Amino acid sequence: MRLRGTWLIRGLLFCLAISGIAADAPAPSAPLSAPPSATPSGTPLPGILEPGTPLPGIMYLTGSTAPSKALIDEFKKLATDTVAPFATLIRDSDKGIDETGFRGLDSADDFIIRDEKRVATFEISTGIWVHATKPDFAKRWKGTAFERRMNAYIESGKPVGFSGYAIEIAPVPGFRFARETIEPQSGMVTVILPEKSEILLKDRTLRVRPDSAPIAWRVAAGNRRPIRTETIPPRGLADIIALRRTAIARANKQPIVANHPGKPDVTSGSLIIVGGGGSPKPIVERFIELAGGPDAPIIVIATAMEDPVPSAIGEVRMLERAGAKNVKQLHTRKREVANSPEFLAPLKTAKGVWFSGGRQWRFIDAYEGTQAEQAFRDVLARGGVIGGSSAGASIQSDYMPRGHPLGNTEMMAEGYERGFGFLRGAAVDQHFFARKRTQDMTKLVSFYPQLLGIGIDEATAIEVRGPIATVIGRSKVAFYDRTKPIPKDGPDYVELSSGGKYHLVERRVIERPDPKPDAPKPDAPKPAPAK
């Protein structure tokens, strides 16, 4: 009875919506003309896709004017997998798409898409697909009741789909979708979806379907970089937020790296920057000592780790095993939480903050520009210590290498290049010699020669106080300085092992560790006695 009653109510609402046309429908009007400066796609939709915020629902897009049956069937299954399914199809013609399985059907004529009563079906729809075969569809759609309702509908998180020329109206902030190659627009990501292309947008991921034609994305030139065009093959992925941040960074007049960046001089407090691969006990004990001893309040920021994040990650236990008695873990994915008094309270009294390993972009998504980020800096200002390993190392520098959300192989990941800048004017990479990353840093400092490149190997750290970096641990640290001539022979960096000291501002070695004594040579074999 409950199911039949729900269906009855929905059927009545739909009938009322349709019947409103007979009494109130205005005469058909001429197609709308968009002003010359207007673009059909890229409609702002605040609150849905800020850089750092995933898409609220699932969106299908195909450039095909005759979308594949498999794609439509997948959408309909998703849209009708509810107690009272009501999938709606909006189309500008009956060509190219099968209406079977759609309960709400609308012909997107001008007078209909401008009529508030007709679009009442949006209220009861469990999925909406918009299909267009005519190139002027986006111009006729703009500013209509359908456009306004579609924006609100997407915010609800219900599935939507767009095919043919309808992809031009897909309201993903910062994105434009087109069937043919067009010039990229500053601050926007242009996605080219040709015939036979099929993509799925979910959370923060753009996924090209297995049977799709290749697609491409483009961003305009800016911030010292030319127009960029990348092709994504079938089954390929892109990160929606990284693309959005890339376009914003290129449009920003503030350079990613200033021509004269700040000096790497920690005037208050200290840094412990570990290259990953485990932190030897002397490094951890030194961090605790700089925080004020075993009783000092220490905060571990676990956000770089993948979900689900344990309530006490390994680095909490690492600090406790080394003698720390007052360790608290903090973690959030939400910036509003990072701005809340409850989250900030323990940071206000902390003497040490430790950033976990994992992926450094997660720190940026959660804390960039928040009160929590300022609270981290305040720890240094009070004379405390900030430490971290692997991802927790790279986040500490001005320039953050390997920030791409889809992998750690891209040294200069556009959109995720700025770290928290506790160490100004520097780029810190980790797992350096263990993963053979020397050439990656060569490329980075060649592009940004004003930066001091620092490559820290596993189980090794630098302690930074003032402008002096002291190497601690089992392996080595490399310092790259492009203000000096590159040696013709040998590596393009200076290498120091434990005990070595480097002046970060003057970019010179101030102390090399004592060389280890040569191992005793085995006695020379005695000649065999004469026979």
Side-chain angles (χ1 to χ4, degrees):
M1 288 298 294
R2 182 179 179 184
L3 180 62
R4 291 183 60 190
T6 305
W7 271 108
L8 179 61
I9 293 170
R10 292 198 170 204
L12 288 170
L13 285 171
F14 181 63
C15 291
L16 288 171
I18 299 300
S19 65
I21 297 170
D24 301 305
S29 57
L32 296 175
S33 296
S37 60
T39 55
S41 49
T43 306
L45 195 58
I48 284 212
L49 189 62
E50 300 293 336
T53 304
L55 206 66
I58 295 176
M59 183 182 295
Y60 293 85
L61 296 107
T62 171
S64 296
T65 51
S68 70
K69 183 178 183 301
L71 180 68
I72 298 300
D73 286 349
E74 182 178 313
F75 169 79
K76 286 188 291 190
K77 184 177 186 302
L78 182 68
T80 58
D81 189 20
T82 63
V83 173
F86 198 96
T88 297
L89 171 65
I90 303 166
R91 57 188 179 178
D92 68 353
S93 77
D94 58 1
K95 297 178 181 178
I97 192 165
D98 183 4
E99 66 184 44
T100 304
F102 288 100
R103 292 185 172 273
L105 296 173
D106 264 311
S107 164
D109 298 325
D110 286 344
F111 78 96
I112 292 177
I113 63 177
R114 304 178 73 81
D115 183 57
E116 289 284 356
K117 291 185 178 180
R118 185 62 176 250
V119 299
T121 56
F122 279 31
E123 303 289 343
I124 57 174
S125 293
T126 55
I128 297 176
W129 190 283
V130 187
H131 177 68
T133 60
K134 300 173 184 177
D136 67 343
F137 179 77
K139 292 181 181 179
R140 294 190 293 116
W141 175 278
K142 195 165 185 65
T144 63
F146 265 38
E147 181 186 42
R148 292 190 295 273
R149 290 292 185 98
M150 178 60 80
N151 290 354
Y153 185 85
I154 290 174
E155 287 192 70
S156 73
K158 297 175 184 177
V160 294
F162 300 88
S163 54
Y165 290 97
I167 63 172
E168 296 179 6
I169 66 161
V172 180
F175 281 74
R176 298 190 303 163
F177 299 94
R179 299 178 75 245
E180 298 177 351
T181 301
I182 57 176
E183 285 301 301
Q185 179 180 328
S186 179
M188 305 284 289
V189 181
T190 299
V191 180
I192 312 301
L193 300 176
E195 194 72 31
K196 306 298 183 184
S197 62
E198 298 178 351
I199 65 172
L200 171 67
L201 306 183
K202 183 179 179 182
D203 296 327
R204 60 184 296 152
T205 303
L206 182 158
R207 184 184 303 274
V208 183
R209 288 170 56 86
D211 297 328
S212 172
I215 74 160
W217 60 264
R218 309 188 78 199
V219 287
N223 241 320
R224 295 188 56 204
R225 290 179 164 119
I227 289 177
R228 182 176 176 184
T229 303
E230 297 286 347
T231 299
I232 309 178
R235 292 187 172 87
L237 303 175
D239 187 89
I240 296 170
I241 294 174
L243 291 179
R244 177 72 173 123
R245 291 177 65 97
T246 295
I248 291 172
R250 285 176 170 238
N252 198 334
K253 293 182 179 179
Q254 182 181 358
I256 299 298
V257 177
N259 290 332
H260 302 285
K263 295 180 179 180
D265 186 356
V266 181
T267 56
S268 179
S270 311
L271 302 177
I272 296 289
I273 310 176
V274 189
S279 300
K281 192 173 181 181
I283 294 176
V284 184
E285 289 175 337
R286 180 59 176 157
F287 173 82
I288 296 170
E289 180 184 354
L290 291 169
D295 295 320
I298 294 173
I299 303 297
V300 174
I301 306 296
T303 305
M305 300 189 69
E306 188 175 0
D307 289 328
V309 176
S311 57
I313 65 172
E315 282 150 299
V316 170
R317 296 191 296 273
M318 171 193 77
L319 287 160
E320 290 174 341
R321 284 195 301 268
K325 300 176 182 178
N326 189 4
V327 183
K328 179 180 177 64
Q329 178 175 303
L330 287 180
H331 162 64
T332 184
R333 299 270 184 241
K334 299 178 179 180
R335 295 188 183 198
E336 59 267 29
V337 174
N339 285 321
S340 68
E342 295 79 12
F343 191 88
L344 296 169
L347 288 169
K348 290 182 178 179
T349 57
K351 298 293 182 66
V353 172
W354 184 274
F355 288 90
S356 73
R359 295 302 316 284
Q360 49 266 39
W361 61 268
R362 295 189 180 110
F363 289 133
I364 295 298
D365 276 2
Y367 303 116
E368 183 183 45
T370 66
Q371 293 181 50
E373 184 187 354
Q374 182 57 51
F376 303 150
R377 301 184 195 285
D378 292 344
V379 172
L380 285 179
R382 295 194 296 268
V385 58
I386 286 180
S389 178
S390 192
S394 290
I395 192 64
Q396 297 189 47
S397 55
D398 240 353
Y399 188 94
M400 185 181 75
R402 306 185 191 279
H404 202 289
L406 295 182
N408 63 4
T409 58
E410 190 171 343
M411 187 68 166
M412 294 184 285
E414 286 194 75
Y416 283 96
E417 295 182 275
R418 289 195 179 103
F420 289 157
F422 307 137
L423 186 61
R424 303 292 304 279
V428 174
D429 198 11
Q430 7 79 17
H431 302 277
F432 199 65
F433 294 107
R435 298 186 183 177
K436 298 179 173 59
R437 291 176 165 180
T438 57
Q439 291 302 308
D440 292 342
M441 185 62 81
T442 294
K443 293 176 183 176
L444 191 154
V445 296
S446 295
F447 192 79
Y448 290 122
Q450 63 270 49
L451 289 175
L452 174 65
I454 304 175
I456 307 175
D457 201 21
E458 294 181 352
T460 308
I462 55 172
E463 174 190 328
V464 183
R465 304 184 74 187
I468 309 301
T470 303
V471 180
I472 316 170
R474 299 172 186 164
S475 187
K476 302 170 292 184
V477 177
F479 297 90
Y480 288 71
D481 178 12
R482 281 297 179 271
T483 65
K484 297 182 176 67
I486 301 174
K488 293 182 179 180
D489 299 319
D492 59 341
Y493 53 85
V494 171
E495 190 178 289
L496 290 177
S497 56
S498 187
K501 294 185 178 182
Y502 191 89
H503 199 295
L504 301 172
V505 175
E506 298 177 2
R507 299 193 178 190
R508 63 181 178 87
V509 176
I510 56 176
E511 185 176 327
R512 287 190 179 275
D514 294 332
K516 294 180 181 179
D518 293 334
K521 296 180 180 179
D523 294 336
K526 297 179 180 179
K531 291 183 179 179

